[in-house]
Amino acid sequence: MARLPDLVQDSKLETHFLPSGDGSVQTVHTYHEPDPTSRRQLVSRSEHWQRQGKIGGGSSASVWLEKCTKGGHGDVEVRAIKQIETHRHSGQMLDFSRELEAIAKFKYEGCFVKSFGWYESPEYLFIAMEYLELGDLHTYLDREPPLPEHEAKEVTYQILYGLYFMHNNGFAHRDLKPNNILLKSCPPNDWWIKIADFGISKRIDDGLGKSTTFKGTLGYIAPELHGFIEKGSPYAVDIWAVGEIAFQMLTKRPTFKHLGLLSVYVNNPETFPSNLLLAAQISQPGVEFIVSIMHPIPVDRITAGNALRHRWMDRSSSCHRGPAIAKQILRRRTGGICI
């Protein structure tokens, strides 16, 4: 791994693995903290974590639930651990420094899944994260009817909050989809979503911007990644994905059923399936919004900042704009854009 930025190095957890009597292995973190009885001395504290079971993952990464069994500090009793293979078929170790920097940078923002730090073994990289028991947006949408327009608008607004902050700090997500939108709260309570998986296992492969997000789910992949049109910025790829998420929240249908329809749209933008939105009784501002963030030409696609200011996002609507704590953080970080 390349030389790590100080922000990343500071978030690395001092870790060793302790075999248990039942054949399992506990993860032990050691923290060195100020002694409350002395200004000059440090005391050491250890936390022991035991795996409870696998809760998700893909071909190169898995997610596990862990429980603190000893030395807990604070109110975090369970956590999610993302375990990522650091060697691929080539045998070469991948460089995750950029992704770890994003995770460390965004961990205090209310619109991202919070990270508690990272650690490693010879074969794996581990990222400790808050566990959100309500699951992800994909699972929620699978079991529910289309969202009412005001709810879809609220979720879209919160996703754009996060993207605005990421893009302004030079980061693109590159793999935005409902599986990577986790739920802090949802109906009957207020919507509060958190963006997860900052492309940690769907990373840019080379300096030319070839993105492995091409391997993602059809529809969330922008047309430029399919080669239908010249590429623009990686930020425009994220914006396209927001449009697809919004479209599916409102209709329970993909915008384009197959690549042929997407190719036709790129060559003839008038073929955008607005009729599906109108059939779902979506307002004209809502239709205009989705069309603007799914523009076939990347450079003409609306930015996250401008999308937040679109008239569909008018704060006079019935949207709650998320819990107050998240709103305060985001207002500070986005320079008042949510006021």
Side-chain angles (χ1 to χ4, degrees):
M1 190 179 296
R3 183 187 181 280
L4 298 174
D6 291 342
L7 181 65
V8 176
Q9 189 62 54
D10 291 344
S11 64
K12 185 176 184 180
L13 300 174
E14 184 177 326
T15 305
H16 70 274
F17 301 97
L18 182 67
S20 300
D22 59 1
S24 63
V25 176
Q26 288 196 353
T27 300
V28 182
H29 303 307
T30 302
Y31 300 89
H32 305 285
E33 302 169 336
D35 186 341
T37 64
S38 172
R39 294 183 178 180
R40 297 185 178 182
Q41 294 186 12
L42 297 176
V43 293
S44 296
R45 175 180 63 86
S46 294
E47 283 183 358
H48 293 237
W49 292 86
Q50 184 73 50
R51 288 199 169 178
Q52 304 298 299
K54 187 175 181 180
I55 56 176
S59 60
S60 61
S62 55
V63 183
W64 299 78
L65 180 66
E66 292 192 345
K67 181 178 180 180
C68 186
T69 59
K70 181 180 178 182
H73 186 66
D75 57 355
V76 180
E77 297 181 355
V78 294
R79 67 182 186 180
I81 293 292
K82 187 161 190 178
Q83 176 178 302
I84 305 159
E85 295 181 18
T86 52
H87 293 76
R88 295 286 174 88
H89 299 298
S90 64
Q92 296 181 343
M93 186 171 183
L94 297 175
D95 178 13
F96 293 102
S97 57
R98 180 68 168 167
E99 289 83 356
L100 290 172
E101 183 181 3
I103 289 169
K105 190 176 186 68
F106 304 145
K107 68 179 181 180
Y108 294 119
E109 304 304 320
C111 46
F112 301 103
V113 173
K114 184 176 181 180
S115 169
F116 302 126
W118 65 279
Y119 53 102
E120 60 187 337
S121 71
E123 299 86 14
Y124 298 104
L125 174 72
F126 303 90
I127 301 172
M129 305 172 293
E130 65 177 319
Y131 172 60
L132 299 178
E133 62 182 7
L134 293 178
D136 58 48
L137 184 61
H138 172 79
T139 303
Y140 183 92
L141 294 176
D142 261 359
R143 65 174 185 258
E144 298 290 338
L147 297 188
E149 184 171 357
H150 72 278
E151 291 189 21
K153 184 192 306 187
E154 174 62 22
V155 175
T156 303
Y157 198 100
Q158 292 186 30
I159 295 172
L160 286 168
Y161 262 148
L163 287 184
Y164 180 86
F165 183 74
M166 289 186 72
H167 294 176
N168 271 18
N169 282 273
F171 292 88
H173 189 286
R174 306 187 184 105
D175 192 25
L176 200 64
K177 56 188 177 183
N179 308 72
N180 291 333
I181 305 298
L182 302 189
L183 307 182
K184 179 73 172 178
S185 67
C186 61
N189 300 312
D190 290 345
W191 278 101
W192 185 359
I193 61 91
K194 292 196 171 193
I195 299 173
D197 194 356
F198 307 101
I200 191 74
S201 59
K202 304 284 187 182
R203 60 194 300 276
I204 293 296
D205 282 336
D206 54 47
L208 299 177
K210 180 182 178 182
S211 174
T212 58
T213 51
F214 182 84
K215 300 176 182 177
T217 305
L218 177 63
Y220 306 105
I221 303 170
E224 58 267 29
L225 295 184
H226 288 291
F228 293 152
I229 197 166
E230 186 176 350
K231 290 182 180 179
S233 78
Y235 308 139
V237 172
D238 287 345
I239 297 301
W240 173 277
V242 178
E244 180 65 23
I245 292 170
F247 193 99
Q248 293 200 24
M249 285 192 292
L250 293 166
T251 69
K252 295 279 287 189
R253 299 176 63 174
T255 312
F256 304 100
K257 290 184 179 180
H258 53 77
L259 288 179
L261 290 175
L262 178 60
S263 177
V264 169
Y265 169 60
V266 170
N267 292 288
N268 185 7
E270 293 182 0
T271 61
F272 188 86
S274 301
N275 60 307
L276 297 179
L277 296 170
L278 295 173
Q281 299 184 328
I282 305 306
S283 66
Q284 190 60 38
V287 175
E288 293 172 358
F289 173 86
I290 293 177
V291 171
S292 69
I293 62 176
M294 298 190 78
H295 197 290
I297 303 175
V299 295
D300 292 334
R301 211 168 290 154
I302 193 171
T303 65
N306 287 335
L308 287 169
R309 297 182 180 92
H310 192 277
R311 66 174 181 148
W312 192 50
M313 295 296 178
D314 190 334
R315 71 184 300 270
S316 64
S317 71
S318 60
C319 292
H320 294 290
R321 294 287 176 255
I325 185 171
K327 182 170 66 174
Q328 291 168 2
I329 292 171
L330 290 162
R331 181 183 293 118
R332 169 171 54 83
R333 291 296 187 181
T334 57
I337 196 168
C338 58
I339 295 175

